[in-house]
Amino acid sequence: MESSYLSVGYNRELNAVIASWSGYISADEAKSGFERIWETFRYYEANYVIADLRDYEGGFGAITQWLDEEYMPKMIKIGYQACANVMPEDFFMSVSLSDFQNKQSGIVPLRVFADLNAAQTWISQLQTSKNEPTPDALRAVA
């Protein structure tokens, strides 16, 4: 799923939704984008999100309350376990992400990484540490 500001895909190996944001994003666009991530997450029965925020401009400020009170609880309800974020270059987004990370730290693991490979490695390590079989391993047993 793509738009001018967000590309959403799924990585089967990691059982993760990959969301790549770019450009200046209004509050309405951000909210709409998070809803697309939720739909993809639910469709694939994913457990993880990798958010590539390197090209995201702006911040979450206008939707922070919505994220905290509505979006995150419904993500957790359908199996959300962790999020790996690739560090944004935009200063305001970095501050917004740091604030969001502080609020969510006691709820689900949320980490920030310098590059996409490091984010993917962390998600892979989370799966291994929890001894969670990957979707491919589950198919091999069936």
Side-chain angles (χ1 to χ4, degrees):
M1 244 183 239
E2 290 197 34
S3 68
S4 60
Y5 59 90
L6 176 64
S7 172
V8 180
Y10 175 70
N11 181 310
R12 179 178 289 137
E13 247 180 69
L14 298 174
N15 194 26
V17 171
I18 311 294
S20 299
W21 299 83
S22 74
Y24 178 81
I25 300 161
S26 70
D28 287 340
E29 289 171 328
K31 214 172 187 180
S32 175
F34 278 107
E35 289 295 343
R36 284 181 36 219
I37 292 167
W38 181 82
E39 290 168 7
T40 305
F41 191 91
R42 186 182 64 167
Y43 176 82
Y44 286 105
E45 298 178 356
N47 294 114
Y48 306 99
V49 173
I50 298 174
D52 185 348
L53 303 167
R54 290 175 289 185
D55 297 324
Y56 190 115
E57 296 175 23
F60 296 141
I63 64 166
T64 300
Q65 184 174 354
W66 175 81
L67 285 169
D68 292 342
E69 295 174 5
E70 294 181 42
Y71 183 77
M72 293 302 292
K74 78 178 188 176
M75 284 291 284
I76 291 167
K77 188 175 182 177
I78 61 170
Y80 179 68
Q81 294 180 14
C83 184
N85 294 287
V86 181
M87 187 61 155
E89 292 180 12
D90 181 75
F91 172 76
F92 295 106
M93 184 55 198
S94 295
V95 171
S96 184
L97 180 59
S98 178
D99 181 51
F100 184 68
Q101 182 176 5
N102 289 336
K103 287 180 181 177
Q104 297 299 319
S105 65
I107 301 169
V108 294
L110 178 71
R111 297 257 320 261
V112 178
F113 299 90
D115 63 63
L116 190 56
N117 287 336
Q120 292 172 331
T121 298
W122 181 67
I123 294 294
S124 180
Q125 289 170 344
L126 283 177
Q127 291 174 332
T128 302
S129 70
K130 291 181 179 182
N131 293 322
E132 295 177 3
T134 62
D136 291 336
L138 290 174
R139 275 190 280 284
V141 173

